[in-house]
Short mmCIF file of all heavy atoms in Angstrom, two decimals:
data_model
loop_
_atom_site.label_atom_id
_atom_site.label_comp_id
_atom_site.label_asym_id
_atom_site.label_seq_id
_atom_site.Cartn_x
_atom_site.Cartn_y
_atom_site.Cartn_z
N ALA A 5 -3.65 74.65 333.98
CA ALA A 5 -3.40 73.35 333.34
C ALA A 5 -4.55 72.39 333.60
O ALA A 5 -5.17 72.40 334.66
CB ALA A 5 -2.09 72.76 333.85
N ILE A 6 -4.79 71.54 332.61
CA ILE A 6 -5.72 70.43 332.76
C ILE A 6 -5.06 69.21 332.15
O ILE A 6 -4.41 69.30 331.11
CB ILE A 6 -7.08 70.72 332.07
CG1 ILE A 6 -8.04 69.52 332.23
CG2 ILE A 6 -6.92 71.11 330.62
CD1 ILE A 6 -9.45 69.80 331.75
N SER A 7 -5.16 68.06 332.81
CA SER A 7 -4.57 66.84 332.26
C SER A 7 -5.29 65.63 332.82
O SER A 7 -5.89 65.69 333.91
CB SER A 7 -3.07 66.74 332.58
OG SER A 7 -2.85 66.58 333.96
N GLY A 8 -5.25 64.55 332.07
CA GLY A 8 -5.85 63.30 332.51
C GLY A 8 -5.07 62.12 331.96
O GLY A 8 -4.41 62.22 330.92
N VAL A 9 -5.13 61.00 332.68
CA VAL A 9 -4.42 59.77 332.30
C VAL A 9 -5.46 58.73 331.89
O VAL A 9 -6.46 58.54 332.59
CB VAL A 9 -3.54 59.25 333.46
CG1 VAL A 9 -2.83 57.96 333.07
CG2 VAL A 9 -2.54 60.33 333.88
N TYR A 10 -5.20 58.03 330.78
CA TYR A 10 -6.19 57.12 330.22
C TYR A 10 -5.52 55.82 329.76
O TYR A 10 -4.42 55.86 329.17
CB TYR A 10 -6.90 57.77 329.02
CG TYR A 10 -7.47 59.12 329.36
CD1 TYR A 10 -6.67 60.27 329.27
CD2 TYR A 10 -8.77 59.27 329.80
CE1 TYR A 10 -7.17 61.52 329.61
CE2 TYR A 10 -9.29 60.51 330.15
CZ TYR A 10 -8.48 61.63 330.05
OH TYR A 10 -8.98 62.87 330.39
N ALA A 11 -6.18 54.70 330.02
CA ALA A 11 -5.70 53.39 329.56
C ALA A 11 -6.41 53.05 328.26
O ALA A 11 -7.64 52.87 328.24
CB ALA A 11 -5.98 52.33 330.62
N ILE A 12 -5.65 52.98 327.17
CA ILE A 12 -6.24 52.73 325.85
C ILE A 12 -6.46 51.23 325.67
O ILE A 12 -5.53 50.44 325.88
CB ILE A 12 -5.33 53.27 324.74
CG1 ILE A 12 -4.97 54.74 324.99
CG2 ILE A 12 -5.99 53.09 323.38
CD1 ILE A 12 -6.15 55.67 325.04
N PRO A 13 -7.66 50.80 325.29
CA PRO A 13 -7.90 49.36 325.07
C PRO A 13 -7.01 48.81 323.95
O PRO A 13 -6.65 49.52 323.01
CB PRO A 13 -9.38 49.31 324.68
CG PRO A 13 -9.97 50.57 325.20
CD PRO A 13 -8.89 51.59 325.12
N SER A 14 -6.69 47.54 324.05
CA SER A 14 -5.84 46.91 323.04
C SER A 14 -6.53 46.80 321.69
O SER A 14 -5.88 46.61 320.66
CB SER A 14 -5.41 45.52 323.52
OG SER A 14 -6.55 44.70 323.75
N THR A 15 -7.86 46.94 321.68
CA THR A 15 -8.62 46.83 320.44
C THR A 15 -8.75 48.17 319.69
O THR A 15 -9.31 48.21 318.60
CB THR A 15 -10.03 46.30 320.73
OG1 THR A 15 -10.65 47.16 321.70
CG2 THR A 15 -9.98 44.87 321.27
N ALA A 16 -8.25 49.23 320.28
CA ALA A 16 -8.41 50.56 319.68
C ALA A 16 -7.63 50.69 318.38
O ALA A 16 -6.44 50.37 318.33
CB ALA A 16 -7.97 51.63 320.66
N LYS A 17 -8.29 51.18 317.34
CA LYS A 17 -7.62 51.46 316.06
C LYS A 17 -7.65 52.95 315.72
O LYS A 17 -6.81 53.42 314.97
CB LYS A 17 -8.27 50.66 314.93
CG LYS A 17 -8.04 49.17 315.03
CD LYS A 17 -8.64 48.44 313.84
CE LYS A 17 -8.39 46.94 313.94
NZ LYS A 17 -9.02 46.21 312.79
N SER A 18 -8.63 53.65 316.25
CA SER A 18 -8.73 55.10 316.07
C SER A 18 -8.96 55.74 317.43
O SER A 18 -9.57 55.13 318.31
CB SER A 18 -9.89 55.46 315.13
OG SER A 18 -9.72 54.91 313.86
N LEU A 19 -8.48 56.97 317.58
CA LEU A 19 -8.67 57.71 318.83
C LEU A 19 -9.25 59.08 318.55
O LEU A 19 -9.00 59.67 317.48
CB LEU A 19 -7.34 57.86 319.58
CG LEU A 19 -6.64 56.59 320.07
CD1 LEU A 19 -5.30 56.93 320.69
CD2 LEU A 19 -7.52 55.83 321.06
N ARG A 20 -10.01 59.59 319.50
CA ARG A 20 -10.50 60.96 319.42
C ARG A 20 -10.31 61.62 320.78
O ARG A 20 -10.71 61.07 321.80
CB ARG A 20 -11.97 61.00 319.02
CG ARG A 20 -12.50 62.42 318.80
CD ARG A 20 -13.92 62.45 318.27
NE ARG A 20 -14.91 62.16 319.30
CZ ARG A 20 -16.22 62.37 319.17
NH1 ARG A 20 -16.70 62.87 318.03
NH2 ARG A 20 -17.05 62.07 320.14
N VAL A 21 -9.69 62.78 320.77
CA VAL A 21 -9.54 63.59 321.99
C VAL A 21 -10.61 64.67 321.96
O VAL A 21 -10.88 65.27 320.92
CB VAL A 21 -8.14 64.22 322.05
CG1 VAL A 21 -8.06 65.26 323.16
CG2 VAL A 21 -7.09 63.14 322.26
N ARG A 22 -11.24 64.89 323.10
CA ARG A 22 -12.19 65.99 323.17
C ARG A 22 -11.98 66.76 324.47
O ARG A 22 -11.56 66.22 325.49
CB ARG A 22 -13.64 65.49 323.08
CG ARG A 22 -14.10 64.60 324.22
CD ARG A 22 -15.57 64.23 324.07
NE ARG A 22 -16.00 63.39 325.20
CZ ARG A 22 -17.27 63.06 325.44
NH1 ARG A 22 -18.22 63.50 324.63
NH2 ARG A 22 -17.58 62.31 326.47
N ILE A 23 -12.27 68.05 324.42
CA ILE A 23 -12.21 68.91 325.60
C ILE A 23 -13.40 69.85 325.53
O ILE A 23 -13.72 70.39 324.47
CB ILE A 23 -10.87 69.68 325.67
CG1 ILE A 23 -10.82 70.55 326.93
CG2 ILE A 23 -10.60 70.49 324.41
CD1 ILE A 23 -9.44 71.12 327.23
N PHE A 24 -14.10 70.01 326.66
CA PHE A 24 -15.36 70.73 326.64
C PHE A 24 -15.61 71.33 328.02
O PHE A 24 -14.99 70.94 329.01
CB PHE A 24 -16.51 69.80 326.24
CG PHE A 24 -16.56 68.51 327.02
CD1 PHE A 24 -17.38 68.38 328.14
CD2 PHE A 24 -15.78 67.42 326.65
CE1 PHE A 24 -17.44 67.19 328.85
CE2 PHE A 24 -15.83 66.22 327.36
CZ PHE A 24 -16.66 66.11 328.46
N THR A 25 -16.53 72.28 328.07
CA THR A 25 -16.94 72.79 329.38
C THR A 25 -17.78 71.71 330.05
O THR A 25 -18.62 71.07 329.42
CB THR A 25 -17.74 74.10 329.26
OG1 THR A 25 -18.90 73.88 328.47
CG2 THR A 25 -16.88 75.20 328.63
N THR A 26 -17.54 71.50 331.32
CA THR A 26 -18.19 70.40 332.03
C THR A 26 -19.71 70.54 332.03
O THR A 26 -20.43 69.54 331.98
CB THR A 26 -17.66 70.34 333.47
OG1 THR A 26 -16.23 70.28 333.44
CG2 THR A 26 -18.19 69.13 334.20
N SER A 27 -20.19 71.76 332.05
CA SER A 27 -21.64 72.03 331.96
C SER A 27 -21.84 73.25 331.08
O SER A 27 -20.87 73.81 330.54
CB SER A 27 -22.23 72.25 333.36
OG SER A 27 -21.57 73.32 334.02
N THR A 28 -23.06 73.68 330.92
CA THR A 28 -23.31 74.84 330.07
C THR A 28 -22.77 76.12 330.71
O THR A 28 -22.64 76.23 331.93
CB THR A 28 -24.82 75.01 329.82
OG1 THR A 28 -25.49 75.13 331.08
CG2 THR A 28 -25.38 73.83 329.05
#
């Protein structure tokens, strides 16, 4: 499992989720 908690700014109108290898 991988998970993270994030505080979304009040000005946000669009969101993008990304997941990637931390390095090459």
Side-chain angles (χ1 to χ4, degrees):
I6 179 172
S7 67
V9 179
Y10 307 86
I12 308 300
S14 60
T15 56
K17 292 183 180 178
S18 299
L19 297 176
R20 185 174 77 166
V21 169
R22 64 177 181 170
I23 181 168
F24 50 96
T25 59
T26 307
S27 58
T28 57

